[in-house]
Structures are given as structure tokens and as C-alpha cells.
Amino acid sequence: MLIDLDLINRFNIDYLTLCRWLCSVRRNYRSVTYHNWRHAHNVCQLMFAIITNTTWWKKLGEIECLSLVIACLCHDLDHRGTNNSFQIKASNSLATLYSTSTMEHHHFDQCLMLLNTHGNQILANVSKDEFKSVIQVLEDSILATDLAVYFRRRGDTFKLLQSNNLDWGNSQHRSLIRGLLMTACDLGAITKPWEIQKKIARLVSDEFFYQGDLEKKELNISPIPMMDRAYKDKLPAMQVDFIDQICLPVYNSLANTNDHLKPMLTGCQKNREHWSNLTNLVEENDDEKKKEKK
């Protein structure tokens, strides 16, 4: 991806340093069920596909393209398999350090740490101004993967795209677009072919159930249904709700902006149909069980 975008030559990145950095990034992902290196790589691949197929790489410019690639690869560094809410409930050190976007701030700090580690300094040959710009975009992009940030910004983002007044020369407009792209890529599994989507959904739910188990055992609290194994049969219905409330608005907005992004919307809609069908089957089975009891 970096080679295809000619970013290695443009920023004079030493190839061996790049290889060491990539290995370091991969090592700093924990062996959790879903938020691991494979997820990070998938997010980055989707970002690459988006900016190349739309040719938005020309609009964003080389610095922002480099920043987005790095941000995608590093956006979940050192993820523990638990979300921001858990960090706060557990009153751990990260929640004390960061009151908002707890894990995202930690991911960004881990990213900075690796970029400044001896032997991993892939930005060693950029100018001071370029370095400052990359770090600013990195922080903005990684923090944008917090769904709380997405909900806070999506009104302005959707309004901007619907108005057809997107100005690529406006830094605030580009920030909103980058944030939406990070969300679209982070949630990208929902757009994949059904067999892949079904498998990934199970991985996500297993990680959620892991957090729910911790909340029960260590915090002595009842997890929300999405995190509770007792509600595992409700996964199809919860997926439909997740798609309706979060995913479809994202991909609808992007598809209306560029025709090359319509396949993501189509994939999301097809998966909604599959999950909806499974929801109906679960409800029918529940009705049959109730009848048998009577």
C-alpha cells in the first residue's frame, strides 16, 4: 500500500526501518479475539481501496494519505479486548489518565511511542512541519474511531456531504471526511460477503462476551445484553439494530458521495437481510418452544 501510493519514495522512508516498524506494530497488538493485528490490517486495506478507487488520494494529499495508513494500522494498538466503558467501570489507570476516548488516546500514545522508538522511526526524514502535520492527522484519525466521537460529529459530516459543498481545501471539511472514512473502515467487516461477515460477527461477540464475563466476575455488575452470554441467541437482532443505527447511515452517506463506494453499501444491505432472516428464524423457534410448554 505504501509502495503503491509512492509514499516510501516521497518521504524517503528507509525500507528496513519500515519493516522493523511494521513488525513492532504487529507485536504490540495483543492476542485478543477481534481487535488484533488482523483487524488493523483489514482496516488499512479498506482505507487503501477507498482512497485509490475514488482517487481521493489526490484530494487528501501525500501527508494525509501517509497519516491515514499509519492511523489504520495503529488505531487499536494494545487493545485489551474491553471497551472504554469497561475501563471507566474498572477505574483502571487508563481511565484515570484519559477521561474521554480512553482507549483511543492510549492507541494514539502507543503509536507515537513506536514511531519514536530507535530503529522504528519511519518519519525520520520528513521535515519538522511535515512531522507536525502527520502527528496532528494521526491523532485526529485515531480518536475518530471512538463511536462516541462519530456520533458527536456525524450530524455535521452528513450535512456537509448532503449539501454538496465539500471543499477539499478546507481543513475542517477534510477532518470530517477523514473521520467518516476511519469509521467506515473500522466497521468494514459489515460490508463483506456473508460468510466472512458471519464469522467476524462471532469473533466480535466472543470478545464482547469476554468483557461481560469480566464485569460479572471482577466488577460484580450485570453487563448490557450485547456483552452478556445469556443473550447470545439475540445476536441476529442486535446485528440488525447495529446496522440500522450505525452502519447504514455511514455507507449511505459515502455511497451518495461517490459511486465507487456503493459496493460497501450494497454489502451492508445484503448482510442486514441475512441477519434479519436469522432474527425471524430465532423468533419462530421461540414461538414454537412457548407452544410446546403450553
Side-chain angles (χ1 to χ4, degrees):
M1 291 179 274
L2 290 168
I3 293 174
D4 287 346
L5 290 170
D6 199 35
L7 297 175
I8 293 178
N9 291 327
R10 165 61 180 82
F11 295 102
N12 195 22
I13 301 174
D14 179 72
Y15 192 75
L16 288 179
T17 301
L18 176 62
C19 292
R20 280 194 296 269
W21 175 77
L22 284 169
C23 289
S24 296
V25 170
R26 180 170 183 170
R27 282 198 302 270
N28 277 270
Y29 273 93
R30 301 191 183 197
S31 296
V32 294
T33 307
Y34 177 68
H35 289 98
N36 48 41
W37 167 251
R38 180 181 291 273
H39 166 65
H41 187 273
N42 287 339
V43 170
C44 189
Q45 188 277 329
L46 184 51
M47 179 65 77
F48 173 76
I50 289 175
I51 63 177
T52 52
N53 280 283
T54 60
T55 69
W56 283 353
W57 62 271
K58 297 178 182 179
K59 304 286 189 180
L60 291 165
E62 295 165 324
I63 287 178
E64 292 187 22
C65 285
L66 174 64
S67 303
L68 285 171
V69 170
I70 296 174
C72 287
L73 290 173
C74 297
H75 82 282
D76 273 331
L77 275 172
D78 196 40
H79 200 291
R80 289 91 188 276
T82 52
N83 64 15
N84 288 335
S85 177
F86 181 85
Q87 315 312 317
I88 296 171
K89 292 174 184 176
S91 299
N92 66 23
S93 57
L94 288 179
T96 303
L97 192 59
Y98 312 113
S99 59
T100 60
S101 300
T102 302
M103 290 307 300
E104 288 75 22
H105 274 106
H106 179 60
H107 303 322
F108 171 65
D109 283 352
Q110 292 291 300
C111 177
L112 282 186
M113 180 269 292
L114 290 179
L115 287 172
N116 286 301
T117 299
H118 179 72
N120 293 281
Q121 296 168 311
I122 59 173
L123 302 178
N125 296 320
V126 303
S127 69
K128 289 183 179 180
D129 286 343
E130 288 175 333
F131 183 84
K132 182 179 179 181
S133 296
V134 169
I135 299 305
Q136 288 176 339
V137 175
L138 266 178
E139 181 175 21
D140 185 51
S141 300
I142 291 177
L143 293 185
T145 60
D146 180 1
L147 285 179
V149 174
Y150 158 71
F151 280 117
R152 189 168 66 244
R153 298 174 59 171
R154 74 173 185 172
D156 290 338
T157 306
F158 293 165
K159 187 183 300 182
L160 171 64
L161 294 179
Q162 290 168 3
S163 70
N164 292 319
N165 290 325
L166 172 61
D167 178 7
W168 289 97
N170 184 309
S171 61
Q172 180 59 25
H173 287 191
R174 289 204 311 278
S175 175
L176 291 174
I177 291 299
R178 289 196 309 266
L180 187 62
L181 291 181
M182 289 298 295
T183 300
C185 294
D186 201 16
L187 304 177
I190 204 72
T191 69
K192 305 295 183 183
W194 171 240
E195 289 303 319
I196 297 175
Q197 153 59 193
K198 184 169 60 174
K199 179 179 179 181
I200 294 177
R202 296 295 179 185
L203 293 176
V204 175
S205 62
D206 284 346
E207 191 171 285
F208 284 170
F209 295 153
Y210 164 75
Q211 174 173 322
D213 293 343
L214 290 179
E215 292 179 353
K216 290 178 181 179
K217 296 176 183 178
E218 298 184 5
L219 305 182
N220 295 314
I221 61 176
S222 297
I224 61 175
M226 184 172 63
M227 305 281 182
D228 195 336
R229 291 184 190 277
Y231 292 87
K232 64 181 180 180
D233 292 339
K234 301 297 183 181
L235 175 62
M238 288 189 283
Q239 283 293 102
V240 171
D241 187 58
F242 174 68
I243 291 171
D244 288 344
Q245 298 300 319
I246 299 177
C247 303
L248 278 177
V250 171
Y251 299 114
N252 260 317
S253 183
L254 288 173
N256 290 332
T257 305
N258 192 292
D259 288 343
H260 290 287
L261 302 182
K262 288 183 177 179
M264 291 196 298
L265 174 60
T266 301
C268 185
Q269 291 170 330
K270 287 182 178 179
N271 285 325
R272 188 197 184 283
E273 291 179 15
H274 285 297
W275 287 118
S276 182
N277 290 337
L278 285 179
T279 299
N280 293 334
L281 286 176
V282 170
E283 291 175 351
E284 290 173 5
N285 289 335
D286 288 344
D287 290 340
E288 288 295 325
K289 290 179 182 178
K290 290 177 180 179
K291 290 179 181 178
E292 291 176 359
K293 288 182 179 180
K294 292 179 180 180

